[in-house]
Amino acid sequence: MSSPASPVEPSPEPAAADSAADSAVDDALAFVEEAAGNEDPPAPIKGVRRLLGWIIPANLGIFLIWGAVPGILLPAQISLLFGEADKVANLTLVATIGAFCSMLAQPIAGQISDRTRSRFGRRAPWIFIGALAGGLSLVGLAFADSLVGVVIAWSLVQITYNIAQGPLSAIMPDRVPLKRRGTFAALSGIGLMVGALGGQIVGSLFFNSITAGYVTFAAFSLVILTLFLVFNPDHSSKELEPEPFRFADFLRTFWVNPVKHPDFFWAFTGRLLLYTGYFAVTGFQLYLLTDYFGVEKPETIIPMLGLISLVGILSATIVSGPLSDKVGRRKPFVFISSVVTGLALVVPWVWPDLTAWMVFTFVSGLGFGMFQAVDTALMSEVLPSAKSFAKDLGVVNIAATLPQTLAPGVAGAIVLSFGYAALFPVGIVLSVLGAFAVWPIKAVK
């Protein structure tokens, strides 16, 4: 006669899973309250590997727009609407106001993101809202038919997509361990640069169908960023203690004390100088091709230039990011990349020919690819506090957007006063100065 069956005990696995989930939430909350940028964050819910794979299309969704619109579609729209005679002045006005809005938007959006308490975390709500509002703003730009309308619509595009981009940039210090940040930054840089340059290529395909281009980029960005959020959920921030709003804190959004945080200051300065030198020249690529190099149909040349630059960028990015992780150093890579980018400007300056511009495009791609991969990781390691990652990275982004704010006006004045050739020595000096700004940084080798 068989013995009675033993009672089946309930499996401990669900309780263990709940306990592990609670522990992960507690770790995430403690990290936000106590950590800085040079400390390892809690592991992502779905793992670092998935995050590494998805950051490429996420950045692609935003930076295709930054590559296609200000460099191709917006100048073409301005020329079409207002004629050739005043195109430089009109583009300068539109680009300057739009970039100024971008400069203000990202740190403000970052601070709001840092303070957000939701079951989806601090970043996801604003990434989605920014993508949706950005798409609507692009559609509005497509139908703008006056200079005021173009200024307003482009400014809204800059504001809304920076509402998404600011929280997205905080993903690395929020979720990526220090030893993987060079690799993550390299992959992020691939998405960024492939987007920016791919945007030029795809944008040139819409050169004669500007409205269709705007709508296509808007839809693509919304779909890709939504998928990123679905497949890479964040820890809830509902249990974080809400921080009271103080107007003085809001005003300090745009300020990080250089005496208290000198490493952050020098990293910011280096990026500011390099970007200013680079965009002072490349921001006028379309007009350089037509008015300086004598290219009759620039839309047929720009895709090839984008591919040339892409080869240089991908080659440098793929190697330099993981290599900086392996050797445990960031500063030498940032220094070399800034010098290479600056010296590449010598070629079209002394040899004003389309071939020289192609050489510059490839060599500067090498330098800029290395810079994007390693400097992004460096910046994440000098952030003062996890409580303000998105806000501080928004301040960092001023180093990228301020040049785009100042460069069109300053570069436009240089072109109108001295001609296009005068842009090159300015870019060279600023880029090389940016290289030397990284050496005073002490927290990062």
Side-chain angles (χ1 to χ4, degrees), residues 140 165 167:
Q165 187 178 330

Side-chain angles (χ1 to χ4, degrees), residues 222-440:
L222 179 59
V223 170
I224 289 295
L225 288 173
T226 301
L227 290 175
F228 172 83
L229 298 175
V230 170
F231 286 99
N232 296 275
D234 197 5
H235 296 285
S236 170
S237 63
K238 289 176 65 176
E239 303 303 320
L240 278 172
E241 187 71 24
E243 295 189 21
F245 176 81
R246 298 183 181 90
F247 187 68
D249 292 337
F250 171 77
L251 293 179
R252 284 194 289 269
T253 292
F254 304 97
W255 175 255
V256 176
N257 192 323
V259 176
K260 189 176 180 180
H261 305 290
D263 288 344
F264 185 91
F265 167 77
W266 284 113
F268 175 90
T269 301
R271 176 173 286 203
L272 177 68
L273 290 167
L274 176 67
Y275 272 68
T276 302
Y278 182 78
F279 284 110
V281 179
T282 59
F284 277 81
Q285 174 175 260
L286 183 63
Y287 298 160
L288 279 167
L289 290 173
T290 56
D291 301 344
Y292 188 65
F293 300 122
V295 177
E296 293 184 0
K297 295 183 178 180
E299 68 273 18
T300 64
I301 300 296
I302 289 172
M304 180 177 62
L305 292 172
L307 290 173
I308 292 172
S309 184
L310 190 59
V311 171
I313 285 171
L314 291 181
S315 301
T317 300
I318 291 169
V319 173
S320 59
L323 184 59
S324 74
D325 280 344
K326 185 174 182 179
V327 302
R329 292 181 178 272
R330 311 288 191 203
K331 291 197 295 187
F333 291 90
V334 176
F335 179 85
I336 292 170
S337 66
S338 299
V339 171
V340 168
T341 303
L343 294 182
L345 289 165
V346 174
V347 181
W349 183 31
V350 301
W351 180 22
D353 183 81
L354 179 59
T355 303
W357 187 253
M358 292 179 181
V359 173
F360 158 76
T361 299
F362 175 74
V363 177
S364 66
L366 290 173
F368 218 72
M370 182 185 297
F371 183 86
Q372 284 291 340
V374 183
D375 187 70
T376 303
L378 183 149
M379 290 298 319
S380 75
E381 294 175 27
V382 298
L383 296 174
S385 171
K387 289 183 179 180
S388 58
F389 278 164
K391 184 270 287 185
D392 291 336
L393 285 170
V395 174
V396 168
N397 192 59
I398 292 176
T401 54
L402 183 60
Q404 296 176 64
T405 305
L406 299 177
V410 175
I414 292 172
V415 170
L416 293 172
S417 302
F418 305 105
Y420 287 102
L423 292 174
F424 298 107
V426 173
I428 292 166
V429 171
L430 292 175
S431 299
V432 173
L433 286 175
F436 285 95
V438 301
W439 288 118

Side-chain angles (χ1 to χ4, degrees), residues 172-209:
M172 178 161 61
D174 275 353
R175 307 189 204 178
V176 181
L178 294 173
K179 66 180 181 180
R180 303 295 295 277
R181 288 190 186 176
T183 300
F184 184 88
L187 295 172
S188 178
I190 289 172
L192 185 158
M193 298 309 295
V194 170
L197 294 169
Q200 294 181 20
I201 296 170
V202 178
S204 66
L205 300 178
F206 291 101
F207 195 82
N208 297 312
S209 305

